[in-house]
Amino acid sequence: MKKWFSFILVLVFALVLIGCGGGETEKPDDPPKPDDTPVVEDVKPTKIEISGQKEEIEIGEEFTVTVKVTPDNATNKKVRYSSSSSAIATVKDGKVTGISAGTATITVTAEADKNVKAEFTVTVKAGGEVTPPEPEVILPTAIEISGETEVKVNKVILLTVSYTPEEATKGVTWESSDPSIATVTKGSVLGVAEGKVTITATSTADTNVKATFEVTVIKNDETGPVTEAPTAITVSVTADEVEVGYKLTARATVEPQGASQNVTWESTKPEVATIDENGKILGVSEGTTYIIAYSKVDPSIKSSRVKIKVTPSTAPEAYPDLQHYKIILMNADSALADLDPFLDAYSGSDKMFKQQAWREIESTYNCTISVEAYPDEAPWGTSRIDWINAQAQLGDAKADFLTISSSWLADFASVNSAHDARLVYARYGKNQMDVVQKQAATNRGGLYGLSTGTNEAQNYVDLGLYYNLAWVEKLKVESPAKIFNEGNWTYSEFEKWATNVQALLGAGEYAIGGRYYYHWVGLTNAAGIKIADPAAIKVTLKHPREVAAAELLSRLYAKGALGSGTAFDTWMETTGAFFDKTCVMVSGAWWFMKGDNRWTSDMWGEDTRFGYVPFPRPDDMTKEQQQIAQYGTTVLMFAEGRDKVHPAGVTYDDIYMAMLDMYLRTNRYYSDDPSYDPETLKRNAISSKVDDPESVEAAMWWTNSNVFYDAVHDFYTSIATSPLCAKITTIVTGADYSQTMDSLEDTYINTFNTKYSAMG
């Protein structure tokens, strides 16, 4: 029994020692079964942060950025670097090197998710020299073409190429198996005739690597847009009251967009006020009359009657004494002669009359008028806007009237840097302000600009097509302006002209250059379409006419007649293919021609000669139905912040009244002169710019009756900041029109509505 009890005690003691780990190694867990293997989660990156970047460097300068990938437990934190222009700045393993002057965007992309990226912009300034590193050549092992497989005759589709591996050196040459069925240029395929073709892309890095893609060209049943029948007419006038001897301007808008805008005018009492074919209303005698516009296409369509009251001519009972106050007008140093008639460079034909009125005002109002330059710290653009606002907020504005771009007005009116002059204008302005000028000087019901009067000799041409006349003559092709004057300058005729010119040019030369955006805007306006209409508070981006304009440009691009790249798709104000004589025709602005800092009189040597032609119109429109647009203009803004320099008793109204009187007297003296001939003055001014007699006639065509205002880019600080610019380029080079325009809802339409929807 004792033995059995002793055995039990020993056994219990042993179990206690085992339970307490009595010096023995802990027993490992059983090996996991196959279906118990833990799963490793693939954590994708969600964000990339860049630090250490620089905004500006010099040529040859380098810096290295640091990249942080979020979250910290991302499975793959590798990133890839790229530069939007390796000719300006290169990037490798985070090291950025300045190569040449310009601006480039550096992008860092997550290797695990290409949608996760971050970027920054670096500006490279001249100041050093560097030899660009030889680009690394990674030969592709395969390429693949993707895109739509069908295209209609006379339409364009875009094919794209992908590379294996992805980092392989890019670049292919394109070829069509039958150009009589479809042509291909830089991936843009133009349907020529029904049938099938094989499109081949060959790697430029390794010509043994190719890809093929079959495209079927199908019948095009689309007839294209036709001129819509007029349904209604609205009339706007600069004012509903005018003094005897003074003029107003009437403009008619025919609905719907795309309908012929041609109208005839009627005054129910021409003995009270007359109205000419261009909508100019002249007050003849005291009384009331009504103005009516009738459609030329369908005279049964007419506007409502617009009441015009003609009052006796009056003069102020007394002129304010400005007590030797100096009224200052401010403009850029290079443009002082635009305002000052006593400078030799002043080119206005009203010079003598303005000098007379200027001195009379100084005597009558006991003041002096001076034109001064913006200081160096206020260069054109946002710097000038900031400078003007800063001076106004300090109550230390440096001038009474500041020359600004109309697109800037909201930046000043919204912070009270501009003085509202609507009441003094209503009292003394005699309603002598042009429609566009008044609209450009108005913001949310306030009038902030000075009226410089009406100009019966006005040249309405701004945006247009300009060409190297000597080159056109050398090629022995017909003058585009002559084609326009003869009534044949249509979309198809323009396309034929450009294609014929292209066939005569050498390698690297193109028939057409210039910003695609300018071309699209001009072609759209020629069809009578307002893209951004402040009066109707409406943006039109998907009208059939706008689509047709973009398709025309896409065809020219696909045919190789519309140059591409930074030398061609650019403003060409001071550089580019037009300067370098590598494009015959370019989109641009009238004032560029023979300007000292734009298209100089010797730009191409001794035989520098310019031609002008309007943008062409759709084939189903007549020349008489064609339109041209005016855009934003400069405004002599009435500046706030001058109180402390005004003599006691002198008011803002007194100063505005004096300058208003000066411009009104100038216009009156000029128009009363027996030799005054507005048409001759207009012709002489046009002839001083263009060297083609046919171009002179083309520019003379435009009158108040076929011109409208389009605020297409007037609500942006500069044209280049409008998102439409980049979008049109992508459309012309192959992007879907409708989808691209849909993306502008927030970035363009809302910006327009913000500025104009609350305006009075």
Side-chain angles (χ1 to χ4, degrees):
M1 183 70 178
K2 290 182 179 179
K3 291 182 179 179
W4 177 248
F5 182 75
S6 298
F7 174 76
I8 295 297
L9 286 175
V10 171
L11 180 61
V12 170
F13 183 70
L15 289 173
V16 170
L17 288 175
I18 294 171
C20 296
E24 293 191 13
T25 304
E26 184 177 351
K27 185 178 179 181
D29 294 331
D30 292 334
K33 299 177 182 178
D35 56 357
D36 290 335
T37 302
V39 177
V40 179
E41 183 181 358
D42 182 17
V43 180
K44 295 287 188 181
T46 58
K47 184 180 180 182
I48 293 176
E49 296 178 7
I50 306 173
S51 59
Q53 64 268 42
K54 295 183 179 180
E55 292 183 357
E56 292 184 354
I57 59 175
E58 292 186 348
I59 293 174
E61 187 178 347
E62 297 177 344
F63 65 90
T64 301
V65 297
T66 301
V67 171
K68 179 182 178 182
V69 178
T70 303
D72 291 338
N73 63 334
T75 306
N76 181 358
K77 290 188 175 183
K78 293 182 180 180
V79 297
R80 292 179 178 175
Y81 299 88
S82 64
S83 169
S84 62
S85 177
S86 57
I88 294 173
T90 61
V91 58
K92 185 174 183 180
D93 298 330
K95 180 189 287 186
V96 179
T97 304
I99 303 300
S100 63
T103 299
T105 299
I106 305 300
T107 303
V108 183
T109 306
E111 186 179 83
D113 187 347
K114 295 178 182 178
N115 294 318
V116 178
K117 60 180 64 177
E119 61 183 31
F120 64 92
T121 299
V122 60
T123 298
V124 182
K125 293 187 172 183
E129 295 184 359
V130 66
T131 301
E134 290 292 330
E136 184 180 3
V137 177
I138 302 175
L139 296 179
T141 58
I143 57 177
E144 182 179 354
I145 302 174
S146 59
E148 297 180 45
T149 58
E150 286 187 346
V151 61
K152 292 180 179 180
V153 172
N154 218 32
K155 298 288 185 177
V156 177
I157 59 172
L158 179 66
L159 302 181
T160 58
V161 172
S162 57
Y163 299 80
T164 302
E166 288 185 9
E167 60 271 21
T169 300
K170 307 298 189 291
V172 295
T173 56
W174 294 91
E175 184 180 2
S176 168
S177 62
D178 191 345
S180 66
I181 294 176
T183 63
V184 60
T185 302
K186 297 180 179 178
S188 292
V189 179
L190 170 65
V192 178
E194 293 179 68
K196 290 186 177 182
V197 294
T198 299
I199 303 298
T200 302
T202 303
S203 168
T204 54
D206 184 351
T207 56
N208 293 316
V209 178
K210 300 182 179 183
T212 58
F213 192 85
E214 189 172 88
V215 173
T216 301
V217 182
I218 61 177
K219 184 179 180 180
N220 186 353
D221 293 323
E222 298 177 20
T223 58
V226 295
T227 302
E228 300 184 57
T231 58
I233 303 175
T234 56
V235 171
S236 60
V237 292
T238 46
D240 58 7
E241 186 174 306
V242 65
E243 291 187 10
V244 172
Y246 286 92
K247 294 181 179 180
L248 300 175
T249 301
R251 295 199 178 192
T253 300
V254 183
E255 297 294 343
Q257 285 228 63
S260 170
Q261 299 296 305
N262 296 123
V263 299
T264 56
W265 294 97
E266 177 191 1
S267 169
T268 58
K269 291 185 179 180
E271 68 274 15
V272 173
T274 60
I275 184 167
D276 67 14
E277 61 182 5
N278 296 323
K280 291 289 185 181
I281 303 169
L282 172 64
V284 177
S285 63
E286 185 178 359
T288 299
T289 186
Y290 293 89
I291 301 301
I292 307 170
Y294 299 85
S295 168
K296 279 189 176 181
V297 173
D298 182 357
S300 68
I301 305 298
K302 63 180 181 179
S303 71
S304 299
R305 302 196 310 169
V306 178
K307 184 179 179 180
I308 301 295
K309 182 180 180 180
V310 181
T311 60
S313 182
T314 60
E317 294 180 2
Y319 296 102
D321 181 359
L322 300 188
Q323 304 174 42
H324 305 291
Y325 181 72
K326 182 167 75 170
I327 301 174
I328 300 175
L329 315 181
M330 189 166 281
N331 203 356
D333 185 55
S334 61
L336 299 181
D338 291 350
L339 300 175
D340 192 339
F342 297 98
L343 294 177
D344 292 339
Y346 184 85
S347 58
S349 53
D350 62 352
K351 184 171 186 173
M352 178 177 65
F353 306 103
K354 184 171 285 186
Q355 288 179 348
Q356 177 186 346
W358 193 291
R359 292 306 185 215
E360 286 180 0
I361 295 303
E362 289 181 325
S363 175
T364 303
Y365 290 81
N366 188 20
C367 67
T368 57
I369 305 172
S370 175
V371 179
E372 299 181 6
Y374 279 106
D376 292 340
E377 62 264 31
W380 178 265
T382 53
S383 295
R384 184 166 297 175
I385 294 172
D386 293 343
W387 180 83
I388 291 172
N389 278 332
Q391 300 300 319
Q393 303 316 309
L394 292 171
D396 192 28
K398 303 302 183 184
D400 298 277
F401 298 93
L402 299 157
T403 304
I404 66 162
S405 166
S406 57
S407 62
W408 302 349
L409 186 58
D411 295 309
F412 303 125
S414 62
V415 294
N416 299 318
S417 296
H419 192 83
D420 190 350
R422 64 185 137 172
L423 295 180
V424 64
Y425 171 77
R427 189 177 307 149
Y428 301 113
K430 301 183 185 294
N431 293 318
Q432 297 303 288
M433 192 180 286
D434 181 82
V435 174
V436 173
Q437 185 185 25
K438 190 172 184 180
Q439 194 163 20
T442 300
N443 185 268
R444 300 185 184 277
L447 180 67
Y448 299 98
L450 178 65
S451 170
T452 57
T454 56
N455 179 10
E456 293 182 303
Q458 182 176 352
N459 171 22
Y460 290 98
V461 177
D462 181 15
L463 183 60
L465 293 172
Y466 301 91
Y467 52 92
N468 183 331
L469 179 58
W471 201 352
V472 167
E473 292 174 348
K474 181 181 178 182
L475 294 172
K476 297 182 180 179
V477 294
E478 193 167 14
S479 160
K482 184 175 185 293
I483 301 174
F484 171 80
N485 293 333
E486 293 174 347
N488 301 319
W489 192 237
T490 60
Y491 280 7
S492 60
E493 194 64 31
F494 171 56
E495 186 173 354
K496 184 194 304 181
W497 184 89
T499 304
N500 290 342
V501 168
Q502 188 61 42
L504 299 172
L505 299 176
E509 297 176 339
Y510 292 86
I512 310 295
R515 199 70 167 178
Y516 300 168
Y517 167 79
Y518 269 172
H519 285 288
W520 177 77
V521 168
L523 290 167
T524 296
N525 292 155
I529 304 299
K530 299 176 186 176
I531 299 167
D533 184 357
I537 313 178
K538 179 182 179 182
V539 170
T540 302
L541 292 176
K542 298 170 75 173
H543 191 281
R545 297 290 195 193
E546 294 171 306
V547 177
E551 288 179 343
L552 169 59
L553 295 173
S554 290
R555 290 196 300 273
L556 290 174
Y557 177 84
K559 290 180 176 181
L562 178 62
S564 61
T566 55
F568 293 92
D569 179 16
T570 184
W571 307 114
M572 293 206 199
E573 295 180 2
T574 55
T575 59
F578 197 49
F579 288 80
D580 301 334
K581 291 182 68 175
T582 51
C583 74
V584 179
M585 178 181 282
V586 69
S587 58
W590 180 270
W591 67 276
F592 293 174
M593 288 189 295
K594 300 182 180 178
D596 291 340
N597 59 348
R598 290 299 188 270
W599 301 345
T600 61
S601 299
D602 60 351
M603 192 163 81
W604 305 305
E606 293 182 359
D607 197 17
T608 297
R609 290 179 291 141
F610 297 103
Y612 155 78
V613 67
F615 287 95
R617 66 182 183 276
D619 289 35
D620 61 331
M621 291 179 64
T622 66
K623 179 183 176 184
E624 286 68 29
Q625 294 171 333
Q626 186 166 343
Q627 300 281 298
I628 192 173
Q630 285 185 296
Y631 310 98
T633 183
T634 55
V635 172
L636 263 177
M637 186 186 77
F638 197 19
E640 193 66 83
R642 295 283 286 171
D643 303 75
K644 68 182 183 183
V645 296
H646 291 165
V650 173
T651 67
Y652 282 98
D653 286 3
D654 295 337
I655 295 164
Y656 190 92
M657 176 183 172
M659 288 305 301
L660 192 63
D661 195 0
M662 193 279 291
Y663 281 108
L664 290 176
R665 291 192 192 200
T666 300
N667 291 337
R668 187 169 71 250
Y669 297 158
Y670 198 9
S671 60
D672 288 346
D673 185 77
S675 63
Y676 178 66
D677 181 355
E679 184 163 337
T680 299
L681 290 169
K682 179 178 177 179
R683 183 177 296 276
N684 290 342
I686 291 171
S687 299
S688 69
K689 288 287 190 179
V690 291
D691 305 283
D692 181 5
E694 295 284 358
S695 294
V696 175
E697 297 307 317
M700 288 291 292
W701 172 258
W702 305 110
T703 67
N704 180 67
S705 63
N706 47 29
V707 178
F708 61 80
Y709 173 63
D710 192 339
V712 58
H713 41 243
D714 203 27
F715 50 100
Y716 283 91
T717 303
S718 67
I719 300 174
T721 59
S722 167
L724 263 178
C725 295
K727 297 298 184 184
I728 293 302
T729 294
T730 63
I731 289 171
V732 170
T733 54
D736 180 83
Y737 187 96
S738 182
Q739 291 179 1
T740 304
M741 286 304 182
D742 284 344
S743 68
L744 288 174
E745 180 68 34
D746 294 331
T747 55
Y748 185 81
I749 297 177
N750 287 350
T751 302
F752 171 86
N753 288 335
T754 298
K755 176 165 184 178
Y756 293 108
S757 61
M759 286 180 62

